Every structure is written in structure tokens, then in C-alpha cells.
Amino acid sequence: MRIITGKYKGRRFDVPHTFKARPTTDFAKENIFNVLMGYIDFEGAAALDLFSGTGSITLELLSRGSSHVVSIEADRDHHSFICQCIKKLADPAATAACLPLRADVFRFLKNCRERYDFIFADPPYALKDLPTLPDRVFERALLNEGGIFVLEHGKDHSFVNHPHFVEHRSYGSVNFSIFQ
């Protein structure tokens, strides 16, 4: 797993082979972030990374200068790995800017009172409740004005009819739907 750009560009982290989570590929991550640069300036942004898995997106957001990143991951080992990666950055600013929480995403969303400039969700593609995520984000008004929500998903889902849908991008088997 590699950080694509920013302050920690080129830093690599070895994801244990025992992990169930699959990090967003470098190719897909680089391309979606290039698209997102037209929507949002990550410098100083408040961000939420749902289903953080390996922490790849969290680390990318920290590298790009996000001032506050909340990382939600339910799996104990994955959460621990994210905490270790943040520690390996050896930067007190990154440690202060990031809040990795071991929690259930749906419970977190139900109780969340913060608002974010950017929300990224990379749930397991087979997750039964995956199609409900955009509604949950917008019903709870979790985005600041002009904020962006990106949902990574498999090819079996389409969100083009969602009222907040703005764009779809596909990179191999990785699909991203962008909402605003």
C-alpha cells in the first residue's frame, strides 16, 4: 500500500496477508483523487473515512493536508494496523489530525453530529446495506455545504438515479459514485 501524493508521498506500508480488507488499488486511488481535485481542496478539509480497512484513504487524506480525519473501522486487527501506520508517519501533526475509531459504521452514522467536507466509504462490495449509504449520509446532513461523498462499490450497483449523484467513475473492477 502506497501514499500517492502530498506530504508523505511514496511512503509504503505492508498490509498483512491475513487481512480480509482489500486496499483501494494505487491505480484507482490515484485516478479518483485526480478527479476529486476538481471538486475539493483537501488542504484543511475535515474528512470521514468509512470502512477504513487498511487505512489507505485515511493516510492519503493526511498526506494531502486534511486537518481532521476520522477513520471508522470495525475489525480489531485492521483498526490496530491503521493506528500503527499513523504512528509510523512519525509526525505529531498527523497523530493530532487523525481519530481512528473502532466502531460499526452504521451505528456511527446514526449518532454522528459532526459535518465533513469529504466523506469516503469503501464497504465490502457484498454488504447488504451498501445501497443505503448515500441516503444515510444525506439524511443525517453529514456534509458541509459543497462537501463531497464518494462511495466505492462493485459493478452491480448503480446510483445514477440518486438525487445527490453527480458522477460515476470506473477503474477496472473498482467503481466510484460521487455525490454532492
Side-chain angles (χ1 to χ4, degrees), residues 16-173:
H17 296 292
T18 57
F19 272 24
K20 297 170 260 174
R22 38 130 191 84
T24 302
T25 66
D26 287 349
F27 175 76
K29 183 168 60 170
E30 184 170 10
N31 280 290
I32 194 61
F33 270 96
N34 285 340
V35 169
L36 293 172
M37 295 299 286
Y39 287 97
I40 186 171
D41 180 5
F42 291 101
E43 185 71 36
L48 175 62
D49 182 10
L50 301 171
F51 305 95
S52 298
T54 62
S56 172
I57 299 300
T58 292
L59 295 168
E60 194 69 38
L61 291 166
L62 291 169
S63 184
R64 291 169 184 258
S66 292
S67 62
H68 179 61
V69 180
V70 178
S71 177
I72 309 297
E73 175 53 49
D75 184 276
R76 178 182 43 113
D77 294 335
H78 296 191
H79 174 262
S80 177
F81 179 76
I82 293 166
C83 293
Q84 290 170 18
C85 289
I86 293 165
K87 188 181 273 188
K88 285 180 184 176
L89 292 176
D91 183 352
T95 304
C98 189
L99 177 60
L101 297 175
R102 183 170 170 233
D104 175 80
V105 165
F106 294 103
R107 281 193 197 135
F108 176 84
L109 290 175
K110 184 178 179 182
N111 296 309
C112 182
R113 289 185 171 70
E114 279 189 72
R115 289 190 174 198
Y116 301 92
D117 302 304
F118 180 71
I119 300 174
F120 186 91
D122 181 10
Y125 289 179
L127 182 70
K128 182 184 79 155
D129 290 330
L130 184 149
T132 69
L133 284 167
D135 288 335
R136 291 175 190 236
V137 166
F138 287 100
E139 285 168 1
R140 298 283 303 151
L142 298 178
L143 285 174
N144 287 323
E145 188 171 329
I148 298 293
F149 169 52
V150 175
L151 176 59
E152 183 174 334
H153 56 87
K155 64 179 175 21
D156 297 337
H157 296 285
S158 174
F159 296 93
V160 296
N161 294 321
H162 192 279
H164 294 280
F165 175 84
V166 292
E167 188 173 348
H168 173 262
R169 293 293 176 121
S170 178
Y171 306 103
S173 62

